[in-house]
Amino acid sequence: MRAARLIKMVLMLQSRPWMTAAELARELEVSERTITRDAQALSEAGVPVYADRGRSGGYRLIGGYRTRLTGLARSEAEALFLSGVPGALREMGLEDTASAARLKVSAALLPSLRDASRTAAQRFHLDAPAWFSEPGTPELLPPVADAVWDDRPIVAHYRRGEAEVRRTLEPYGLVLKAGVWYLCARVPEPGSFRVYRIDRFTGVAPGEERFTRDEGFDLPGFWEERAEQFARSILRAEVVVRLSPDGIRRLRYVLDPGSARQALDACGAPDGRGWVTLTLPVESEEVAHTQLTGLGPEVEVVSPAALRERFAADAARLAALYG
């Protein structure tokens, strides 16, 4: 445990000009006294850790000291090669860059670990697109990706309904969701963050000057929040249904699993046959009809009346069809 902590301490000091004892203690989850002992141990082992005394002091490495990657364990090396997503890198135009980086890392590893890229690839593959869909790479993804990596603003033209809109954007990050590429960008005026589907872009012109990123921006957190907002925003209607025990089990396959779970948690006790009555949030009556049809006779629509009448008409047609 201590050896791993010492390696992590050196790597942290390599990545920053200096760190206080309190910062190191917080990151490594030990006491400041332990940090003092660890710094002394590193110094005795030949690692040039220098301690600046005083209120604003801290620890730093001197002489441009850099450690090598010979401390990687096999599991760490394999996890490193898992971090690349070949399809996504290829679509962003970064396949050659990623390949060169993997070669450099492989060359720096111990001989016993140089097969890590092969063993990782044999054990994990990410297939991002959803089933029964034809994934397509947006034509303008590579220039958008270049702007993201270089922190360069773009002037984007994109389709919004029947119109084409022009916006100046500060591209912060890319998200690949179920085979669809999205750009998370800041609109300088009014200074808000928004999400754009890249396949709706019709033109992209990168700027010459770099913009200053908001260091507090958290891409995973931002995406999670927007995804939840989107899911809530499209559920504008409600239907009341009765579900059989089998319908309860199958509900999550025809509705959003989160919405189905919340509705089931809020419903009352089952009747003598095990049927329950619950209120489901849905996008619209039309969408609810399509989704609930998948449950067949395991669901009964109670309200709204128009949707119940539609299912009754469907049942009559089926009875006539199968006689």
Side-chain angles (χ1 to χ4, degrees):
M1 288 293 291
R2 190 189 186 197
R5 187 176 72 243
L6 292 175
I7 293 173
K8 187 175 180 180
M9 182 174 175
V10 173
L11 294 174
M12 290 169 63
L13 291 174
Q14 276 187 191
S15 64
R16 308 183 196 181
W18 63 278
M19 295 182 68
T20 66
E23 290 172 336
L24 286 166
R26 184 170 57 252
E27 293 283 348
L28 298 173
E29 299 180 346
V30 295
S31 67
E32 293 186 30
R33 186 181 297 274
T34 298
I35 293 298
T36 301
R37 290 197 294 265
D38 285 353
Q40 179 65 32
L42 287 171
S43 180
E44 293 174 354
V47 179
V49 178
Y50 181 78
D52 291 316
R53 306 297 180 184
R55 178 176 298 179
S56 59
Y59 292 92
R60 59 187 175 90
L61 295 174
I62 60 175
Y65 178 84
R66 307 291 295 178
T67 187
R68 302 185 65 180
L69 292 175
T70 52
L72 283 176
R74 168 167 292 277
S75 59
E76 294 169 333
E78 291 174 343
L80 174 64
F81 286 104
L82 280 180
S83 64
V85 185
L89 291 170
R90 181 173 57 253
E91 292 180 9
M92 287 189 291
L94 298 175
E95 185 175 29
D96 290 342
T97 301
S99 177
R102 286 192 293 268
L103 286 173
K104 291 179 180 179
V105 173
S106 295
L109 292 173
L110 291 172
S112 60
L113 300 180
R114 287 178 185 165
D115 65 340
S117 60
R118 180 180 59 81
T119 58
Q122 290 173 343
R123 287 164 174 81
F124 179 81
H125 173 68
L126 176 64
D127 184 11
W131 287 105
F132 313 118
S133 64
E134 291 291 336
T137 303
E139 181 180 350
L140 296 175
L141 176 60
V144 172
D146 288 343
V148 169
W149 293 116
D150 290 342
D151 292 338
R152 294 187 186 277
I154 59 173
V155 176
H157 295 259
Y158 66 95
R159 298 186 304 275
R160 189 168 68 183
E162 298 298 323
E164 184 173 278
V165 181
R166 179 181 182 274
R167 287 283 186 274
T168 298
L169 305 174
E170 294 175 351
Y172 269 64
L174 296 168
V175 175
L176 177 60
K177 170 69 172 179
V180 179
W181 284 95
Y182 296 88
L183 172 67
C184 301
R186 181 177 179 272
V187 183
E189 295 292 338
S192 59
F193 287 93
R194 300 179 185 177
V195 177
Y196 300 86
R197 277 186 61 147
I198 297 179
D199 59 6
R200 292 179 182 167
F201 284 7
T202 58
V204 171
E208 295 297 329
E209 302 294 329
R210 287 184 168 87
F211 65 88
T212 302
R213 294 178 65 93
D214 178 358
E215 295 301 329
F217 178 78
D218 173 31
L219 179 59
F222 171 79
W223 178 258
E224 181 179 5
E225 179 182 351
R226 288 304 173 94
E228 291 177 356
Q229 291 176 358
F230 175 76
R232 291 193 300 267
S233 70
I234 64 173
L235 302 178
R236 303 185 182 94
E238 289 184 343
V239 298
V240 179
V241 300
R242 295 179 66 246
L243 288 175
S244 71
D246 190 41
I248 294 172
R249 288 190 293 270
R250 291 163 53 186
L251 184 63
R252 65 189 182 96
Y253 297 109
V254 300
L255 251 64
D256 168 65
S259 300
R261 184 172 57 254
Q262 291 178 8
L264 289 170
D265 289 343
C267 73
D271 63 16
R273 294 191 301 150
W275 286 61
V276 297
T277 301
L278 66 159
T279 301
L280 296 174
V282 295
E283 186 174 345
S284 65
E285 289 187 20
E286 182 69 29
V287 173
H289 177 261
T290 301
Q291 293 173 325
L292 295 176
T293 297
L295 295 178
E298 309 305 326
V299 61
E300 176 192 357
V301 175
V302 178
S303 68
L307 185 60
R308 180 179 175 85
E309 292 171 2
R310 190 168 180 178
F311 272 91
D314 289 346
R317 289 173 60 197
L318 284 170
L321 183 64
Y322 288 100

